[in-house]
Amino acid sequence: RDGWLPCRVYDRIREMMGGLPCTYFAAGRRAYYPFLYDTFFEWLEKIPDAADRDMYTLHDLLKSYFMGSNLYDYLEKRICSDEKSLLFFHEKERCIKILRKFESEIEIYLLQNRKRIKSYYKKIFDASEQRYLVFDIGYSGSVGKALTAITGNPTDKFYFWESDANRQADKILGTKTRGFFKSENYAPF
């Protein structure tokens, strides 16, 4: 799903044919979900199902969103192994209740994370521009929605395909999506 190779291909084509400048940047869900919701718990209520909801544990959630941080180490020591092994999507309310005990630590972490992420994107996106265009092998519009919130400017997308959620986001945000495929039947590819 990473856009490094398409960015390199585009740079080569641009050398011969001209076009808009291109910058490769990181935009994983872990980096931008803090800008899609006001709190971690609001996001947890709406978190999309994992590929295998019968295997995804509370511990998997912690690893997915906090690994490599001091918060992860902190939570690792304070949440017992029985709790970490709970199937998140089957016992969502119970898992959220466990995490609520650490609400202030999580929110402090997210506040710090938002500052770091804004600083990173400030270096990527030229503040004098009024719109941005992002290539992503996505479909739902979350990257455009997050980057619009982070930069304060509309972020259009170039996708392989798009979902109804992305079409709705475009209407709300005043953004546009261009894509290779005009049908939603391309998810397996």
Side-chain angles (χ1 to χ4, degrees):
R1 292 185 53 119
D2 188 82
W4 182 84
L5 185 58
C7 186
R8 299 290 68 85
V9 170
Y10 177 78
D11 276 341
R12 293 293 295 250
I13 293 169
R14 191 171 64 92
E15 285 174 16
M16 293 179 255
M17 300 178 71
L20 297 171
C22 174
T23 302
Y24 174 78
F25 64 94
R29 284 183 179 89
R30 183 176 177 177
Y32 67 69
Y33 84 87
F35 294 91
L36 298 176
Y37 301 96
D38 290 331
T39 71
F40 180 72
F41 295 95
E42 179 187 346
W43 173 77
L44 278 183
E45 293 293 339
K46 298 173 184 172
I47 186 174
D49 279 357
D52 189 349
R53 63 189 319 269
D54 296 327
M55 299 285 291
Y56 194 81
T57 64
L58 176 58
H59 197 229
D60 292 325
L61 180 109
L62 298 177
K63 289 187 289 187
S64 295
Y65 293 95
F66 303 125
M67 187 173 262
S69 69
N70 292 335
L71 177 62
Y72 177 77
D73 299 335
Y74 179 83
L75 295 172
E76 268 293 293
K77 293 174 189 167
R78 287 163 180 80
I79 298 175
C80 73
S81 57
D82 285 347
E83 291 172 327
K84 286 189 266 190
S85 67
L86 292 171
L87 292 176
F88 181 79
F89 292 102
H90 291 281
E91 300 193 63
K92 193 173 181 179
E93 287 181 31
R94 186 171 172 201
C95 291
I96 290 173
K97 187 176 180 180
I98 291 165
L99 292 173
R100 284 250 183 230
K101 294 184 253 179
F102 309 100
E103 187 168 3
S104 62
E105 291 88 349
I106 290 170
E107 294 308 323
I108 289 168
Y109 168 79
L110 290 180
L111 182 64
Q112 294 167 343
N113 218 16
R114 283 183 184 111
K115 286 180 186 176
R116 260 191 320 274
I117 292 164
K118 274 192 175 225
S119 174
Y120 171 74
Y121 285 123
K122 196 174 193 178
K123 295 174 194 168
I124 302 293
F125 292 96
D126 183 345
S128 68
E129 298 294 337
Q130 295 185 5
R131 289 189 94 83
Y132 304 110
L133 174 64
V134 174
F135 171 83
D136 181 36
I137 305 178
Y139 56 89
S140 69
S142 58
V143 69
K145 186 176 177 183
L147 291 173
T148 296
I150 293 166
T151 65
N153 288 331
T155 302
D156 298 323
K157 287 104 32 199
F158 190 62
Y159 282 168
F160 275 86
W161 62 284
E162 67 176 324
S163 66
D164 285 336
N166 182 65
R167 287 187 271 280
Q168 282 300 112
D170 279 346
K171 285 179 186 174
I172 293 166
L173 299 170
T175 55
K176 297 176 184 165
T177 300
R178 291 152 183 93
F180 286 109
F181 303 124
K182 299 300 178 201
S183 168
E184 289 186 34
N185 297 328
Y186 294 94
F189 304 110

